[in-house]
Each structure stands twice: as C-alpha cells, then as structure tokens.
Amino acid sequence: MLITADPQADYLAHAPAVRAAIDRVLESGIYILGAEVAAFEKEFSEYQDGGYTLGVANGTEALELALRAAGIAAGDRVATVANTVTATVSAIQQIGAHPVFVEIDEDMMVMSVPALAARFARDGASLRAVIPVHLYGQPAPMPEIMELARRHGACVIEDCAQAHGATIGGRRVGAWGDAAAFSFYPTKNLGAIGDGGAVYTRDPALAEQVRLLRQYGWRTRYVAEIAGRNSRLDEIQAAILRVKLPHLDAGNDRRRAIAARYSAQLAGLPMRLPVGGGATTAPVFHQYAVRTPRRDALQAALRARDILCGVLYPVPVHHQPAHAVPGLSLPVTERACAEVLCLPCHPAVSDEDVDQVTSAIRDALNEKGDAHV
Ligand SMILES: *Cc1c(COP(=O)(O)O)cnc(C)c1O
C-alpha cells in the first residue's frame, strides 16, 4: 500500500540509531531540558544559519511563543493564509490576536504578495504581524513579504512546519523572518516519534523571551520573571531528532527526485502540477500536490488500487466552524482546497512506486472515458 506520508518507514530506515538514542536518554536519568535538547538546538542552529533554536512541545506552540516573544498580544491583527492546517490560526487565537486571511497566489498556492499589499493598505499599522506558510515545502516569497512588512512596521513569523531545509537564493526558510516555527510531528520532513517543535531566530532578545516563555517565565529556577507556560521539547524526542537531522538533506533530495519523476510522467494529462518557484528557489516537497476539479473521483479511483492520497486541506480555515469569517470570500484559496490531491511523496517512495501511481492515474482517466476524471 502506498500512502501520502509514512513515519514508520522513516523510523525503520534509522531504527538501530533511534533505539540507541532512546537507550542513551533512558540511562542518562535526565528526561527534560538536558544535554540532548541542548545539542539538538545547537545542531539545528548550525543547519539553519547560526542563530538560536529553542526546542518546544510542538509546532503550534512554536508559532504561539514566537508571536508572543515578538510582542504580539491580545487584540493585534495577524495576517496569514486560509489554506493551511488549522494550527497556524489556532496559534494566533491562543494569544487573543485576530487572524486576517490573505488570498494566495494561484500557481504557487502560498501567500500572494499583491493581496498582502492590499491588506496593509486597508489595515495599516493595525496589522502587527504576518505568518507566511511554506505550504507543501514550497517557500513563500520571503524577500517581497519582508519588504512589505518592514515598510509597515510588522513582524514576520515564518511557518516552516512543512519546509525544513527549503531555500530561497541559497538561504534557508526560517532565516528570513523575525522568527520561524518548526514542527517535528512524525510526518514532517524532519519528524520525531511523538510531538516536538522549535522556534528559530537570529535575534538574541527574541530567543531569550522564548526561552523564558517555554518554562513558566523562569530565568532562574523557581522564579518567574514573566508570565510563561510549559512548552518543552523532551530529551527522547531531541535525541531522535539528532539521529534524523543529518539525513534531512538527503531525504529532501529524494523528495525532489520523486517530484521530478511525477512531473515528467504526468505532463500533458488534464491536471495541474506543482509549479517550481523559479531557478533560485529549492522546495522540499513535503507534499506533491496535483490539482483537478474531479479530485474526489480521482482519489477514490486511486484508493481502489491501494494508493492512499491525502487532501491537504479540504476546508479552508475561514470556512471552519471555529474560525469562520462571515462574508469573507477567498476564491483562489477555496478553489485550491476543492482541487488539491497529495500523491505519495516521502523518501521511502521508490521510482517503481511513482510509476505505479502515475499509471493508476492514467488508467483512472481512461476508464472514465472523460478527460477530466
Ligand atoms: C504541522 C503543522 C503545524 C503544526 O505543528 P504541530 O507540531 O502539529 O503543532 C503548523 N503549521 C503547518 C503548516 C503544519 O503543517
């Protein structure tokens, strides 16, 4: 069976090293904020561009703590997109801020720069922060977003949960904004075996704020300096992430090769394929998302052949009960959510698997006798 993401395959690829890492933690007797978290933070910072990494409990809380550390508070407006996992928006709402949904670019399916510019023109200085999402591992246009945000005095927190290792002009995502949030949920390009996340920033003051916020506001043990909370990465997850980090680039290379094979074989079929972000952008294909108006029929036809494709995300956040914005229409976003289908794309997918998926897609199109399945 072929599936969109396969965390068990990722474990099996590194099983002896993962088990040794877990044993090392068990025997150390230190299970929270010890040597493994410190070492992982250092190694991840080096992997990025030498800033500060703070391990936290998950990607959602990484966004929340980054916003708070950047000074965003209750009542502030935060711009983001609606074709994302609900987590991006719950982080904004957890701190009492208000999400402002910005339309996406039709081809790239990430935040549209003209739409963000229009939003700044309307909201002015009340728009205090922007959270671009590097969806499916495709970098959002950070140079343009940073230029706009700087001009309007807003801070930028990158949602890097799907884009560990992606680059724009040779510079990694997460190194562009004021801070970035990473998730290590098991299916992510860098995945733990449980929950985990991190805030990354080049700003030492912001890093220090996150350090306090993630553990009760303590600078000195048992003495809260600010109102903090508990959001910590644990030693076992950090030790596992240290095993996997050195393989991240190879895994991303494999994802790009899978994507290239899909694109070559699916070219000419009546569906939209992912568009690259230009010569200077290196996406990391957390997902390989095709688009067709007959998405549900294609998904069912593939399921009948034991190929399980995901729909990320079927309901845009502004249409979800908890986050509905009455009267808001985002036609490009809504169309993307109605049409996307994510094909199996992770390092354990072989060339033969890709061939099997593309021939199943071809069959599905033919069987229907309808060029649009
Ligand atoms: C996974 C994900 C998150 C949330 O991460 P968790 O670790 O599950 O809290 C946030 N944003 C995006 C885009 C994600 O894919």
Side-chain angles (χ1 to χ4, degrees), residues 17-99:
V18 166
R19 285 170 168 270
I22 293 172
D23 279 345
R24 190 171 70 229
V25 174
L26 294 178
E27 280 154 28
S28 77
I30 295 168
Y31 307 129
I32 292 287
L33 294 188
E36 299 291 341
V37 169
F40 173 69
E41 290 178 341
K42 181 166 173 289
E43 289 157 13
F44 195 71
S45 297
E46 281 160 12
Y47 179 80
Q48 288 293 120
D49 66 345
Y52 305 85
T53 301
L54 286 307
V56 299
N58 55 61
T60 312
E61 292 180 2
L63 281 167
E64 202 181 313
L65 268 50
L67 284 167
R68 284 183 63 183
I72 307 305
D76 288 341
R77 288 160 168 265
V78 179
T80 192
V81 291
N83 65 329
T84 180
V85 69
T86 316
T88 311
V89 178
S90 24
I92 296 169
Q93 292 194 321
Q94 278 300 314
I95 64 163
H98 302 301

Side-chain angles (χ1 to χ4, degrees), residues 48 63 66 130-134 140 142 146 156-161 168 172-182 200 202:
Q48 288 293 120
L63 281 167
V130 183
I131 304 183
V133 178
H134 304 301
M142 291 311 299
M146 290 310 296
V156 176
I157 310 294
E158 294 175 72
D159 185 338
C160 295
I168 305 168
R172 290 199 198 288
V173 300
W176 292 84
D178 296 284
F182 287 86
Y200 177 78
R202 285 160 299 140

